[in-house]
Amino acid sequence: MRLVFPGFRIKRISSEKNSPSRLLGGLRCLLSSAREAGPVHLQQAQTSRMSNTSQKHRDFVGEPMGDKPVSALAGIGEILGKKLEHQGFDKAYVVLGQFLLLKKDGEMFTEWLKDASGANSRQAGLCALCLKEWCDAFL
């Protein structure tokens, strides 16, 4: 049996070795510890889950796109942003449109971005992940 509580490690419990009363006692202890720690805010939980992403990525995925410039996308810096602007991709929503035209296929999008702007694989992958997570959150 697996017990899952947000913000806590998953612990596997063998029902043969532990009696139900022992399990309940451990559960009571865990819940009282959680109460003492106070509420965990959703943004804190999401931030800890996305620890491998940049602040730029988290900022972009955390709010509606609006009229943000293309350089607001994760993986797109000033130089790549200017290259994309020269090709007509001046806003993040225009790049999102390309991502959607490619049916949210991250691999196809990364190849397109590498060809269109000269981005390397890491930059293109960061941008694709950023757009995918934004779509998951807002579409």
Side-chain angles (χ1 to χ4, degrees):
M1 168 170 49
R2 284 185 175 223
L3 300 177
V4 180
F5 297 97
F8 294 95
R9 244 187 261 165
I10 297 173
K11 184 175 181 181
R12 186 164 178 79
I13 299 172
S14 171
S15 56
E16 297 92 34
K17 294 180 182 177
N18 297 308
S19 68
S21 61
R22 187 169 176 194
L23 289 174
L24 288 175
L27 183 58
R28 276 190 219 107
C29 179
L30 182 64
L31 290 175
S32 67
S33 297
R35 268 188 243 122
E36 290 170 10
V40 176
H41 297 287
L42 180 60
Q43 188 172 5
Q44 290 173 339
Q46 288 177 340
T47 302
S48 66
R49 227 180 314 146
M50 296 186 295
S51 62
N52 292 334
T53 58
S54 66
Q55 185 63 47
K56 188 176 182 181
H57 175 102
R58 290 189 296 273
D59 290 344
F60 189 85
V61 172
E63 60 188 24
M65 191 174 304
D67 204 30
K68 292 182 181 176
V70 69
S71 59
L73 289 162
I76 306 296
E78 187 178 330
I79 295 170
L80 290 180
K82 286 183 181 181
K83 287 180 181 179
L84 287 167
E85 285 175 14
H86 287 308
Q87 294 189 20
F89 295 92
D90 58 336
K91 300 291 182 184
Y93 64 80
V94 180
V95 178
L96 173 67
Q98 182 66 31
F99 182 71
L100 295 173
L101 282 173
L102 296 172
K103 299 181 180 179
K104 298 195 277 187
D105 183 329
E107 195 173 311
M108 286 179 62
F109 178 79
T110 55
E111 290 303 315
W112 169 81
L113 189 57
K114 289 188 320 190
D115 291 341
S117 68
N120 63 34
S121 296
R122 182 178 179 277
Q123 292 166 322
L126 289 172
C127 186
L129 178 64
C130 182
L131 289 172
K132 180 193 176 310
E133 288 187 8
W134 188 92
C135 287
D136 291 344
F138 292 98
L139 295 183

